[in-house]
Amino acid sequence: MALGKNYDGQDCSLASALEVIGERWTLLVIRDAMYGVRRFADFQAHLDIPKAVLSQRLSALVAAGLLERRRYQDAPPRDEYVLTPVGRELWIPVLSLGQWGERHLAGNGPRRLFHHATCDTRLDAVSFCATCRRSVPIEEVEVRPGPGLCDDMRRDQVSLALRKPHRLLAPILTR
Amino acid sequence: MALGKNYDGQDCSLASALEVIGERWTLLVIRDAMYGVRRFADFQAHLDIPKAVLSQRLSALVAAGLLERRRYQDAPPRDEYVLTPVGRELWIPVLSLGQWGERHLAGNGPRRLFHHATCDTRLDAVSFCATCRRSVPIEEVEVRPGPGLCDDMRRDQVSLALRKPHRLLAPILTR
DNA sequence: GGCATGAGTTCAATGACCGAACCGACGACG
DNA sequence: CGTCGTCGGTTCGGTCATTGAACTCATGCC
Protein backbone atom coordinates (compact mmCIF):
# COMPACT_ATOMS: atom_id res chain seq x y z
CA MET A 1 0.00 0.00 0.00
CA ALA A 2 1.21 3.45 -0.79
CA LEU A 3 1.65 5.26 2.49
CA GLY A 4 0.94 8.36 0.53
CA LYS A 5 1.62 11.89 1.53
CA ASN A 6 -1.40 11.74 3.82
CA TYR A 7 -0.79 8.30 5.34
CA ASP A 8 -4.09 6.98 4.06
CA GLY A 9 -5.22 3.83 5.73
CA GLN A 10 -3.29 4.42 8.94
CA ASP A 11 -5.79 4.97 11.65
CA CYS A 12 -3.70 6.52 14.37
CA SER A 13 -2.48 9.80 15.74
CA LEU A 14 1.14 8.93 15.11
CA ALA A 15 0.44 8.61 11.41
CA SER A 16 -1.32 11.97 11.44
CA ALA A 17 1.76 13.50 13.01
CA LEU A 18 4.10 11.80 10.55
CA GLU A 19 1.97 13.11 7.73
CA VAL A 20 3.07 16.59 8.70
CA ILE A 21 6.57 16.10 10.10
CA GLY A 22 7.65 12.78 8.64
CA GLU A 23 9.30 13.89 5.40
CA ARG A 24 13.06 14.09 5.10
CA TRP A 25 14.45 17.34 6.49
CA THR A 26 11.19 18.52 8.08
CA LEU A 27 12.00 17.81 11.70
CA LEU A 28 15.40 19.45 11.28
CA VAL A 29 13.70 22.55 9.88
CA ILE A 30 11.35 22.60 12.88
CA ARG A 31 14.31 22.11 15.22
CA ASP A 32 16.08 25.07 13.65
CA ALA A 33 12.94 27.17 13.97
CA MET A 34 12.98 26.29 17.67
CA TYR A 35 16.53 27.64 17.91
CA GLY A 36 15.23 30.88 16.44
CA VAL A 37 16.19 30.54 12.80
CA ARG A 38 13.72 32.51 10.68
CA ARG A 39 15.24 33.43 7.34
CA PHE A 40 15.27 31.25 4.24
CA ALA A 41 18.99 31.75 3.73
CA ASP A 42 19.75 30.86 7.35
CA PHE A 43 17.80 27.61 7.30
CA GLN A 44 19.49 26.83 4.03
CA ALA A 45 23.01 27.59 5.17
CA HIS A 46 22.74 25.93 8.55
CA LEU A 47 21.11 22.76 7.26
CA ASP A 48 22.83 22.78 3.86
CA ILE A 49 19.52 21.67 2.41
CA PRO A 50 18.59 21.93 -1.27
CA LYS A 51 16.67 25.15 -1.79
CA ALA A 52 13.80 23.48 -3.60
CA VAL A 53 13.29 21.08 -0.71
CA LEU A 54 13.48 23.87 1.86
CA SER A 55 10.99 25.98 -0.06
CA GLN A 56 8.54 23.11 -0.26
CA ARG A 57 8.99 22.17 3.41
CA LEU A 58 8.49 25.71 4.64
CA SER A 59 5.32 26.09 2.55
CA ALA A 60 3.99 22.77 3.79
CA LEU A 61 4.66 23.68 7.42
CA VAL A 62 2.90 27.01 6.90
CA ALA A 63 -0.06 25.24 5.31
CA ALA A 64 -0.18 22.76 8.20
CA GLY A 65 -0.17 25.58 10.73
CA LEU A 66 3.17 24.84 12.39
CA LEU A 67 4.95 27.89 10.96
CA GLU A 68 3.60 31.28 10.02
CA ARG A 69 5.03 33.42 7.29
CA ARG A 70 5.69 37.00 8.33
CA ARG A 71 6.65 39.96 6.13
CA TYR A 72 9.77 41.51 7.62
CA GLN A 73 10.51 43.86 4.75
CA ASP A 74 8.44 45.37 1.95
CA ALA A 75 11.00 46.44 -0.65
CA PRO A 76 11.96 43.98 -1.80
CA PRO A 77 9.27 41.79 -0.18
CA ARG A 78 10.91 39.52 2.38
CA ASP A 79 9.25 36.92 4.59
CA GLU A 80 10.48 35.06 7.60
CA TYR A 81 9.13 31.89 9.20
CA VAL A 82 8.10 31.70 12.84
CA LEU A 83 6.81 28.75 14.84
CA THR A 84 3.13 28.89 15.78
CA PRO A 85 1.92 27.62 19.17
CA VAL A 86 1.05 24.33 17.45
CA GLY A 87 4.58 24.07 16.15
CA ARG A 88 6.00 24.96 19.53
CA GLU A 89 4.22 22.05 21.12
CA LEU A 90 6.53 19.75 19.21
CA TRP A 91 9.22 20.77 21.68
CA ILE A 92 8.86 17.67 23.84
CA PRO A 93 8.83 15.15 21.00
CA VAL A 94 11.81 16.88 19.39
CA LEU A 95 13.73 17.12 22.67
CA SER A 96 13.06 13.55 23.74
CA LEU A 97 13.94 12.17 20.34
CA GLY A 98 17.17 14.15 20.28
CA GLN A 99 18.05 12.98 23.77
CA TRP A 100 17.42 9.39 22.71
CA GLY A 101 19.75 9.89 19.76
CA GLU A 102 22.37 11.43 21.98
CA ARG A 103 22.17 8.67 24.51
CA HIS A 104 22.30 5.75 22.14
CA LEU A 105 23.84 6.89 18.92
CA ALA A 106 25.77 10.08 18.96
CA GLY A 107 28.91 9.71 21.06
CA ASN A 108 31.35 12.47 22.06
CA GLY A 109 29.01 13.72 24.80
CA PRO A 110 26.10 16.11 24.45
CA ARG A 111 26.45 18.77 21.80
CA ARG A 112 23.61 20.87 23.17
CA LEU A 113 22.47 21.34 26.74
CA PHE A 114 19.00 22.62 27.57
CA HIS A 115 18.49 24.68 30.71
CA HIS A 116 15.56 26.28 32.44
CA ALA A 117 16.36 29.90 31.63
CA THR A 118 14.98 31.34 34.85
CA CYS A 119 16.57 29.03 37.45
CA ASP A 120 19.48 27.69 35.37
CA THR A 121 18.68 24.03 36.02
CA ARG A 122 19.54 21.60 33.31
CA LEU A 123 16.35 20.00 31.97
CA ASP A 124 15.75 16.30 31.61
CA ALA A 125 14.68 14.50 28.41
CA VAL A 126 11.06 15.62 28.80
CA SER A 127 11.89 19.25 29.67
CA PHE A 128 11.27 18.69 33.38
CA CYS A 129 12.99 21.11 35.76
CA ALA A 130 13.99 19.27 38.93
CA THR A 131 14.36 22.52 40.83
CA CYS A 132 10.96 24.01 40.02
CA ARG A 133 9.37 20.57 39.81
CA ARG A 134 7.49 21.26 36.65
CA SER A 135 7.66 20.76 32.92
CA VAL A 136 9.24 23.77 31.23
CA PRO A 137 7.67 25.14 28.03
CA ILE A 138 9.98 25.98 25.17
CA GLU A 139 9.55 29.69 25.89
CA GLU A 140 11.57 29.28 29.07
CA VAL A 141 14.41 27.18 27.69
CA GLU A 142 17.97 28.21 26.99
CA VAL A 143 20.22 26.13 24.73
CA ARG A 144 23.92 26.03 25.45
CA PRO A 145 26.87 24.40 23.74
CA GLY A 146 27.76 21.09 25.30
CA PRO A 147 31.13 19.34 25.67
CA GLY A 148 30.52 17.31 22.52
CA LEU A 149 30.28 20.35 20.24
CA CYS A 150 33.33 20.51 18.01
CA ASP A 151 34.97 23.88 17.51
CA ASP A 152 36.11 23.09 13.99
CA MET A 153 32.61 22.48 12.70
CA ARG A 154 30.05 24.63 10.96
CA ARG A 155 30.86 28.17 10.05
CA ASP A 156 27.43 29.39 9.05
CA GLN A 157 26.04 32.25 11.04
CA VAL A 158 23.55 30.12 12.92
CA SER A 159 26.19 27.71 14.16
CA LEU A 160 28.32 30.65 15.26
CA ALA A 161 25.38 32.20 17.09
CA LEU A 162 24.69 28.94 18.92
CA ARG A 163 28.19 28.80 20.35
CA LYS A 164 26.88 31.03 23.10
CA PRO A 165 23.89 30.37 25.32
CA HIS A 166 20.77 31.27 23.40
CA ARG A 167 17.16 31.49 24.40
CA LEU A 168 15.01 29.14 22.33
CA LEU A 169 12.61 30.92 19.93
CA ALA A 170 14.58 34.15 20.20
CA PRO A 171 15.35 35.20 16.62
CA ILE A 172 18.82 34.49 15.42
CA LEU A 173 19.46 37.62 13.42
CA THR A 174 22.36 37.05 11.12
CA ARG A 175 22.13 40.26 9.13
CA MET B 1 23.57 18.66 0.07
CA ALA B 2 22.46 15.07 0.13
CA LEU B 3 21.13 14.35 3.59
CA GLY B 4 22.17 10.82 2.93
CA LYS B 5 21.13 7.76 4.78
CA ASN B 6 23.51 8.72 7.54
CA TYR B 7 22.66 12.43 7.73
CA ASP B 8 26.23 13.45 6.98
CA GLY B 9 26.98 17.01 7.78
CA GLN B 10 24.33 17.33 10.44
CA ASP B 11 26.07 17.74 13.73
CA CYS B 12 23.33 16.95 16.18
CA SER B 13 21.70 14.17 18.12
CA LEU B 14 18.38 14.67 16.41
CA ALA B 15 19.96 13.90 13.06
CA SER B 16 21.54 10.77 14.53
CA ALA B 17 18.12 9.67 15.68
CA LEU B 18 16.52 10.46 12.33
CA GLU B 19 19.22 8.44 10.65
CA VAL B 20 17.77 5.38 12.33
CA ILE B 21 14.07 6.15 12.59
CA GLY B 22 13.52 8.82 9.98
CA GLU B 23 12.64 6.75 6.94
CA ARG B 24 9.05 6.32 5.82
CA TRP B 25 7.25 3.56 7.73
CA THR B 26 9.98 3.05 10.33
CA LEU B 27 8.34 4.76 13.26
CA LEU B 28 5.07 2.96 12.55
CA VAL B 29 6.95 -0.35 12.60
CA ILE B 30 8.49 0.59 15.95
CA ARG B 31 5.08 1.65 17.26
CA ASP B 32 3.63 -1.72 16.25
CA ALA B 33 6.52 -3.49 17.94
CA MET B 34 5.61 -1.56 21.09
CA TYR B 35 2.07 -2.91 20.84
CA GLY B 36 3.57 -6.39 20.79
CA VAL B 37 3.51 -7.17 17.09
CA ARG B 38 6.36 -9.60 16.32
CA ARG B 39 5.68 -11.55 13.14
CA PHE B 40 6.47 -10.38 9.64
CA ALA B 41 2.97 -11.17 8.42
CA ASP B 42 1.37 -9.26 11.29
CA PHE B 43 3.40 -6.11 10.75
CA GLN B 44 2.61 -6.39 7.07
CA ALA B 45 -1.13 -6.93 7.50
CA HIS B 46 -1.62 -4.31 10.18
CA LEU B 47 0.39 -1.63 8.44
CA ASP B 48 -0.45 -2.73 4.90
CA ILE B 49 3.16 -1.98 4.03
CA PRO B 50 4.96 -3.29 0.94
CA LYS B 51 6.81 -6.47 1.91
CA ALA B 52 10.11 -5.34 0.44
CA VAL B 53 9.98 -2.14 2.46
CA LEU B 54 9.07 -4.01 5.64
CA SER B 55 11.86 -6.51 5.13
CA GLN B 56 14.40 -3.73 4.69
CA ARG B 57 13.10 -1.75 7.65
CA LEU B 58 13.16 -4.73 9.99
CA SER B 59 16.71 -5.59 8.94
CA ALA B 60 17.84 -1.99 9.41
CA LEU B 61 16.28 -1.81 12.87
CA VAL B 62 17.99 -5.07 13.82
CA ALA B 63 21.31 -3.74 12.53
CA ALA B 64 20.82 -0.52 14.50
CA GLY B 65 20.09 -2.44 17.68
CA LEU B 66 16.47 -1.39 18.17
CA LEU B 67 14.99 -4.78 17.33
CA GLU B 68 16.38 -8.24 17.80
CA ARG B 69 15.57 -11.16 15.58
CA ARG B 70 14.54 -14.30 17.45
CA ARG B 71 14.03 -17.82 16.06
CA TYR B 72 10.58 -18.96 17.14
CA GLN B 73 10.49 -22.12 15.00
CA ASP B 74 13.12 -24.29 13.40
CA ALA B 75 11.23 -26.19 10.70
CA PRO B 76 10.69 -24.25 8.66
CA PRO B 77 12.96 -21.56 10.14
CA ARG B 78 10.84 -18.66 11.41
CA ASP B 79 12.01 -15.47 13.10
CA GLU B 80 10.14 -12.84 15.00
CA TYR B 81 11.19 -9.29 15.87
CA VAL B 82 11.31 -7.99 19.44
CA LEU B 83 12.20 -4.52 20.72
CA THR B 84 15.53 -4.22 22.51
CA PRO B 85 15.92 -1.96 25.56
CA VAL B 86 17.31 0.70 23.20
CA GLY B 87 14.21 0.44 21.06
CA ARG B 88 11.96 0.54 24.10
CA GLU B 89 13.44 3.85 25.13
CA LEU B 90 11.75 5.39 22.12
CA TRP B 91 8.49 5.03 24.05
CA ILE B 92 8.44 8.66 25.20
CA PRO B 93 9.26 10.21 21.81
CA VAL B 94 6.69 7.98 20.12
CA LEU B 95 4.03 8.66 22.76
CA SER B 96 4.56 12.40 22.84
CA LEU B 97 4.57 12.67 19.07
CA GLY B 98 1.37 10.63 18.84
CA GLN B 99 -0.26 12.78 21.50
CA TRP B 100 0.74 15.91 19.58
CA GLY B 101 -0.81 14.45 16.45
CA GLU B 102 -3.97 13.55 18.32
CA ARG B 103 -4.29 16.94 19.88
CA HIS B 104 -3.71 19.01 16.77
CA LEU B 105 -4.46 16.90 13.76
CA ALA B 106 -6.49 13.81 14.29
CA GLY B 107 -10.03 14.68 15.32
CA ASN B 108 -12.72 12.24 16.49
CA GLY B 109 -11.19 11.96 19.96
CA PRO B 110 -8.38 9.69 21.06
CA ARG B 111 -8.15 6.32 19.37
CA ARG B 112 -5.82 4.85 21.94
CA LEU B 113 -5.60 5.51 25.66
CA PHE B 114 -2.50 4.68 27.66
CA HIS B 115 -2.85 3.67 31.29
CA HIS B 116 -0.47 2.77 34.10
CA ALA B 117 -1.18 -0.94 34.23
CA THR B 118 -0.70 -1.28 37.98
CA CYS B 119 -2.78 1.64 39.31
CA ASP B 120 -5.04 2.17 36.27
CA THR B 121 -4.29 5.89 35.95
CA ARG B 122 -4.38 7.36 32.51
CA LEU B 123 -0.89 8.59 31.57
CA ASP B 124 -0.07 12.04 30.26
CA ALA B 125 1.82 12.82 27.04
CA VAL B 126 5.19 12.01 28.62
CA SER B 127 4.05 8.79 30.30
CA PHE B 128 3.76 10.44 33.72
CA CYS B 129 1.41 8.80 36.22
CA ALA B 130 -0.25 11.49 38.34
CA THR B 131 -1.21 8.93 41.00
CA CYS B 132 2.22 7.39 41.52
CA ARG B 133 3.94 10.70 40.66
CA ARG B 134 6.50 9.13 38.41
CA SER B 135 7.26 8.46 34.79
CA VAL B 136 6.04 5.03 33.76
CA PRO B 137 8.28 2.82 31.61
CA ILE B 138 6.71 1.10 28.65
CA GLU B 139 6.82 -2.20 30.52
CA GLU B 140 4.09 -0.93 32.85
CA VAL B 141 1.76 0.53 30.25
CA GLU B 142 -1.56 -0.78 29.03
CA VAL B 143 -3.10 0.43 25.80
CA ARG B 144 -6.87 0.61 25.53
CA PRO B 145 -9.24 1.54 22.73
CA GLY B 146 -10.37 5.14 22.97
CA PRO B 147 -13.66 6.77 21.95
CA GLY B 148 -12.24 7.79 18.56
CA LEU B 149 -11.57 4.23 17.47
CA CYS B 150 -13.95 3.30 14.69
CA ASP B 151 -15.59 -0.11 14.83
CA ASP B 152 -15.81 -0.47 11.08
CA MET B 153 -12.08 -0.16 10.54
CA ARG B 154 -9.26 -2.62 10.21
CA ARG B 155 -9.94 -6.31 10.27
CA ASP B 156 -6.43 -7.63 10.55
CA GLN B 157 -5.66 -9.74 13.58
CA VAL B 158 -3.62 -7.03 15.28
CA SER B 159 -6.40 -4.46 15.05
CA LEU B 160 -8.84 -7.00 16.43
CA ALA B 161 -6.49 -7.83 19.31
CA LEU B 162 -6.14 -4.15 20.18
CA ARG B 163 -9.88 -3.71 20.62
CA LYS B 164 -9.37 -4.98 24.15
CA PRO B 165 -6.98 -3.57 26.71
CA HIS B 166 -3.53 -4.90 25.97
CA ARG B 167 -0.29 -4.68 27.84
CA LEU B 168 2.41 -2.98 25.76
CA LEU B 169 5.24 -5.27 24.66
CA ALA B 170 3.14 -8.37 25.39
CA PRO B 171 3.23 -10.46 22.23
CA ILE B 172 0.17 -10.28 20.04
CA LEU B 173 -0.09 -13.89 18.99
CA THR B 174 -2.32 -14.14 15.99
CA ARG B 175 -1.75 -17.76 15.11
C1' DG C 1 25.09 50.20 -15.48
C1' DG C 2 27.03 46.31 -13.12
C1' DC C 3 27.21 43.63 -9.20
C1' DA C 4 25.62 41.45 -4.96
C1' DT C 5 21.98 39.61 -2.29
C1' DG C 6 17.89 37.10 -1.00
C1' DA C 7 14.20 34.10 -2.06
C1' DG C 8 13.21 31.37 -4.52
C1' DT C 9 12.30 28.24 -9.45
C1' DT C 10 13.66 24.88 -12.94
C1' DC C 11 15.58 20.63 -14.60
C1' DA C 12 17.62 16.21 -15.34
C1' DA C 13 19.94 12.46 -12.87
C1' DT C 14 19.71 9.42 -9.04
C1' DG C 15 17.61 7.06 -5.22
C1' DA C 16 13.42 5.45 -2.56
C1' DC C 17 8.91 3.64 -2.63
C1' DC C 18 5.43 0.86 -4.56
C1' DG C 19 2.32 -2.93 -6.66
C1' DA C 20 2.50 -7.12 -8.51
C1' DA C 21 4.45 -11.25 -9.33
C1' DC C 22 7.32 -14.69 -7.99
C1' DC C 23 10.16 -18.06 -5.02
C1' DG C 24 11.52 -21.71 -1.64
C1' DA C 25 10.60 -24.42 2.31
C1' DC C 26 7.88 -26.36 4.74
C1' DG C 27 3.19 -28.77 6.80
C1' DA C 28 -1.51 -30.35 6.04
C1' DC C 29 -4.66 -32.88 3.49
C1' DG C 30 -6.86 -36.11 0.28
C1' DC D 1 2.56 -38.98 -3.47
C1' DG D 2 0.84 -34.68 -5.28
C1' DT D 3 -1.38 -30.47 -4.44
C1' DC D 4 -2.46 -26.60 -1.89
C1' DG D 5 -1.81 -23.15 1.66
C1' DT D 6 1.17 -20.46 4.57
C1' DC D 7 5.09 -17.85 5.80
C1' DG D 8 8.92 -14.96 4.97
C1' DG D 9 10.62 -13.17 2.06
C1' DT D 10 12.91 -11.56 -3.16
C1' DT D 11 12.62 -9.46 -7.74
C1' DC D 12 11.34 -6.03 -11.01
C1' DG D 13 9.84 -2.10 -13.49
C1' DG D 14 7.12 2.14 -12.97
C1' DT D 15 6.34 6.26 -10.20
C1' DC D 16 7.62 9.63 -6.97
C1' DA D 17 11.06 12.19 -3.94
C1' DT D 18 15.54 14.09 -3.46
C1' DT D 19 19.49 16.28 -5.21
C1' DG D 20 23.15 19.42 -7.44
C1' DA D 21 23.55 22.87 -10.45
C1' DA D 22 21.99 26.48 -12.94
C1' DC D 23 18.92 29.97 -13.46
C1' DT D 24 15.39 33.95 -12.45
C1' DC D 25 13.54 38.10 -10.52
C1' DA D 26 13.46 42.11 -7.74
C1' DT D 27 15.60 44.86 -5.36
C1' DG D 28 19.69 48.03 -3.22
C1' DC D 29 24.35 49.71 -3.51
C1' DC D 30 28.42 51.67 -5.66
Side-chain angles (χ1 to χ4, degrees):
Chain A
M1 176 197 82
L3 196 46
K5 182 62 77 57
N6 49 8
Y7 285 70
D8 297 332
Q10 302 296 331
D11 178 29
C12 70
S13 318
L14 184 61
S16 300
L18 290 173
E19 196 167 304
V20 174
I21 61 94
E23 283 180 298
R24 274 166 79 77
W25 291 108
T26 302
L27 217 47
L28 293 172
V29 171
I30 291 167
R31 192 284 313 275
D32 267 14
M34 288 179 178
Y35 284 158
V37 180
R38 296 185 168 187
R39 305 284 169 84
F40 187 97
D42 290 337
F43 283 110
Q44 202 280 321
H46 186 233
L47 295 172
D48 202 12
I49 176 176
K51 293 188 206 175
V53 175
L54 178 59
S55 178
Q56 191 274 333
R57 295 294 186 279
L58 291 171
S59 294
L61 288 170
V62 169
L66 275 70
L67 290 178
E68 71 174 340
R69 194 185 265 116
R70 284 191 195 157
R71 182 61 43 97
Y72 73 85
Q73 178 180 298
D74 278 318
R78 292 279 184 258
D79 292 340
E80 61 186 8
Y81 299 85
V82 183
L83 278 171
T84 63
V86 174
R88 292 175 183 195
E89 281 191 43
L90 275 170
W91 165 237
I92 301 272
V94 166
L95 176 65
S96 58
L97 186 57
Q99 297 293 296
W100 177 88
E102 180 178 289
R103 191 165 171 202
H104 294 290
L105 302 173
N108 294 329
R111 293 181 171 86
R112 305 284 180 202
L113 305 176
F114 299 97
H115 285 251
H116 191 183
T118 49
C119 74
D120 217 38
T121 305
R122 185 170 173 199
L123 302 174
D124 79 356
V126 289
S127 203
F128 187 80
C129 174
T131 303
C132 306
R133 314 211 62 81
R134 66 179 171 94
S135 181
V136 176
I138 186 173
E139 291 86 357
E140 298 174 38
V141 177
E142 181 179 79
V143 58
R144 302 176 184 176
L149 192 66
C150 300
D151 282 336
D152 57 353
M153 288 296 295
R154 319 296 305 253
R155 295 218 157 262
D156 62 277
Q157 299 289 4
V158 177
S159 297
L160 297 177
L162 291 176
R163 290 192 186 179
K164 309 184 307 292
H166 176 73
R167 196 71 177 253
L168 288 186
L169 299 180
I172 295 181
L173 293 177
T174 62
R175 52 219 82 204
Chain B
M1 175 197 82
L3 196 48
K5 182 63 76 61
N6 49 7
Y7 285 69
D8 297 331
Q10 301 296 331
D11 179 29
C12 71
S13 319
L14 184 61
S16 302
L18 291 172
E19 196 167 303
V20 174
I21 60 95
E23 283 180 299
R24 276 164 77 78
W25 291 107
T26 302
L27 218 46
L28 294 172
V29 171
I30 291 168
R31 191 282 315 276
D32 267 14
M34 288 178 178
Y35 284 158
V37 180
R38 297 187 168 187
R39 306 283 169 84
F40 187 97
D42 291 337
F43 283 110
Q44 203 280 322
H46 187 234
L47 295 172
D48 203 9
I49 176 175
K51 291 190 213 174
V53 175
L54 178 58
S55 178
Q56 193 273 333
R57 296 293 187 277
L58 291 172
S59 295
L61 289 170
V62 169
L66 275 71
L67 290 178
E68 70 174 340
R69 196 184 264 113
R70 286 190 193 158
R71 182 60 43 95
Y72 73 86
Q73 177 179 298
D74 279 319
R78 292 278 183 260
D79 293 340
E80 62 188 6
Y81 298 86
V82 182
L83 278 171
T84 64
V86 173
R88 291 177 185 196
E89 281 190 45
L90 275 169
W91 164 237
I92 301 272
V94 166
L95 175 66
S96 58
L97 187 56
Q99 298 293 296
W100 178 88
E102 181 179 289
R103 191 164 172 203
H104 293 291
L105 301 173
N108 294 329
R111 293 180 170 87
R112 305 284 180 204
L113 305 177
F114 299 98
H115 285 251
H116 191 182
T118 48
C119 73
D120 217 38
T121 305
R122 184 171 174 198
L123 301 174
D124 79 355
V126 289
S127 203
F128 186 80
C129 174
T131 302
C132 306
R133 314 211 62 79
R134 66 178 172 93
S135 180
V136 176
I138 185 172
E139 291 86 1
E140 298 174 40
V141 178
E142 181 178 79
V143 56
R144 302 176 184 176
L149 192 65
C150 301
D151 281 337
D152 56 352
M153 289 295 296
R154 319 295 307 254
R155 295 218 156 262
D156 62 278
Q157 300 289 0
V158 176
S159 298
L160 297 177
L162 291 177
R163 291 192 186 178
K164 308 185 305 290
H166 176 74
R167 195 74 177 253
L168 287 188
L169 299 181
I172 295 181
L173 294 176
T174 63
R175 50 219 81 209

